[in-house]
Amino acid sequence: MTVNESAAKLMVVFRSAPYGSIYAFEGLENVVMMAAYEQDLTVVFMDDGVYAIVKGMDSSASGIKDFSPTFKALEPVYDVEKIYIDRASMESRGLTLEDFIIEPEVIEADAVEKMMEEQKNLMMF
């Protein structure tokens, strides 16, 4: 990602399940919008937010269109390269990297905490 020198360090954290609320969808919209403005953007999936990138999600019962394929465009289209997943959140839900539509970098909780401290703005969804 070519980051604008005046860009603020922004982190978007997905913590909510993707369907049943609008949080994950709103988070994705914010990532796309901020990426379009070449911000120094970091994306983290933790807690039930890890489900936002699980392959084969069926959103039909929720009445919400499946937006998860948009996550596949983050790196190649929007140049969002800093995409992480919390190891404990992933493993406690019985998930592995093979279960996801993208391949985030797996990090430990202390690394997530350190990254949060380095951000100018932090948005949780």
Side-chain angles (χ1 to χ4, degrees), residues 37-79:
Y37 287 99
E38 298 178 350
Q39 298 301 302
D40 184 357
L41 189 58
T42 300
V43 176
V44 177
F45 296 92
M46 60 189 307
D47 301 327
D48 284 344
V50 301
Y51 292 122
I53 55 172
V54 170
K55 293 177 187 171
M57 293 293 289
D58 180 9
S59 63
S60 59
S62 69
I64 299 172
K65 182 178 178 181
D66 181 14
F67 56 86
S68 62
T70 307
F71 286 107
K72 292 191 282 187
L74 291 183
E75 188 172 351
V77 176
Y78 296 101
D79 294 325

Side-chain angles (χ1 to χ4, degrees), residues 25 45 81 88 113:
F25 179 73
F45 296 92
E81 298 172 347
E113 184 177 329

Side-chain angles (χ1 to χ4, degrees), residues 14 22-31 67 125:
F14 290 84
I22 62 167
Y23 294 121
F25 179 73
E26 291 289 328
L28 180 58
E29 283 189 325
N30 275 276
V31 169
F67 56 86
F125 292 94

